[in-house]
Amino acid sequence: MSQLPIEQLEPSGFSDFLLYLNDHLSDNGRGDTAYFQPLPRDESRFPNDKAEAFQTGMRTPLGMPGWRRVWVARDAHGRIAGHIDLRAHPERHAAHRCLLGMGVDRDFRKHGLGQRLIAHAGHWARDAAGLAWIDLQVLSVNTPAISLYQRSGYVRTGEIPDMFLIDGQHFAYTSMSKRLDNQQ
Ligand SMILES: CC(C)(COP(=O)(O)OP(=O)(O)OC[C@H]1O[C@@H](n2cnc3c(N)ncnc32)[C@H](O)[C@@H]1OP(=O)(O)O)[C@@H](O)C(=O)NCCC(=O)NCCS
């Protein structure tokens, strides 16, 4: 399982990816899974109005506003086991940096896939895209993700206390960054 191939998602694969993503998001704050998206449990699905921008971003040339690239790991049956995406910052004059999002399907966690996905995206960002930094934000309660990011060389740069009030609970938001020329 740890060596599942990782490939870039083509825009034509988006609808298949959306099925996977909505199933993944249904875990948000349920059972043993910490909240990992700032969304209420009953609204934990990919918002329809963002789908078009997401797909457009996959076709947008690197360095242009709104660009996005997505990679998925698939099992032998073609089922998506995990994903990672990098995208442009919305701010101007930050084109040497990007933002990261990721997830691993509940059936494939704790086998090192998360770490492989981060390494894959990091190498692409540095070697193919020539970027200098990857940034991310994570709910501070999401200790599995924070631990993975720290292990992968991301450094905590700050925390906004009480950033979200979701399902009656208060959540802090942690920012982390990795400088790519420090990558091993
Ligand atoms: C956070 C997340 C991506 C981690 O993915 P993952 O594939 O489980 O990550 P890894 O397997 O690389 O590492 C997870 C743990 O498994 C351990 N592990 C890795 N390979 C292992 C193996 N073969 N046997 C036992 N444990 C193993 C790692 O050491 C790590 O332990 P730690 O949490 O104590 O540090 C996953 O839990 C997830 O998708 N969560 C929900 C979505 C989410 O949080 N996304 C990020 C939002 S910002």
Side-chain angles (χ1 to χ4, degrees):
M1 185 186 288
S2 60
Q3 289 310 315
L4 295 182
I6 297 172
E7 63 192 45
Q8 190 166 333
L9 184 75
E10 297 302 325
S12 59
F14 181 73
S15 50
D16 178 37
F17 176 69
L18 198 54
L19 290 176
Y20 150 83
L21 196 59
N22 278 328
D23 178 55
H24 179 71
L25 289 170
S26 71
D27 285 345
N28 190 37
R30 287 195 193 274
D32 292 341
T33 309
Y35 278 85
F36 57 85
Q37 279 291 318
L39 290 169
R41 272 196 296 265
D42 291 342
E43 290 172 30
S44 291
R45 67 191 78 85
F46 192 78
N48 284 337
D49 58 327
K50 289 201 172 163
E52 199 174 320
F54 194 101
Q55 284 175 282
T56 303
M58 291 165 71
R59 294 193 183 89
T60 301
L62 188 65
M64 299 294 286
W67 72 264
R68 182 188 293 264
R69 297 293 179 273
V70 186
W71 292 265
V72 292
R74 294 184 191 269
D75 72 5
H77 307 287
R79 174 181 166 197
I80 298 178
H83 76 282
I84 190 153
D85 77 271
L86 298 177
R87 64 189 190 278
H89 272 276
E91 293 86 356
R92 295 179 69 194
H93 309 300
H96 59 305
R97 312 179 73 101
C98 66
L99 285 161
L100 178 148
M102 71 175 303
V104 170
D105 182 276
R106 64 184 84 81
D107 294 338
F108 294 88
R109 291 180 191 154
K110 294 193 179 259
H111 290 278
L113 181 54
Q115 194 162 11
R116 286 184 57 232
L117 284 163
I118 294 198
H120 190 91
H123 287 129
W124 179 87
R126 185 190 59 182
D127 300 336
L131 298 173
W133 294 84
I134 301 180
D135 307 304
L136 61 88
Q137 286 179 302
V138 54
L139 293 174
S140 303
V141 289
N142 191 354
T143 47
I146 291 176
S147 141
L148 171 60
Y149 297 141
Q150 281 174 331
R151 211 162 2 102
S152 303
Y154 287 75
V155 175
R156 194 170 168 277
T157 54
E159 183 179 47
I160 304 178
D162 196 15
M163 175 75 190
F164 300 106
L165 175 54
I166 298 170
D167 292 336
Q169 298 178 57
H170 297 262
F171 293 92
Y173 214 24
T174 292
S175 298
M176 302 182 83
S177 294
K178 180 172 181 173
R179 190 176 184 135
L180 295 174
D181 52 14
N182 288 345
Q183 194 164 288
Q184 297 104 20

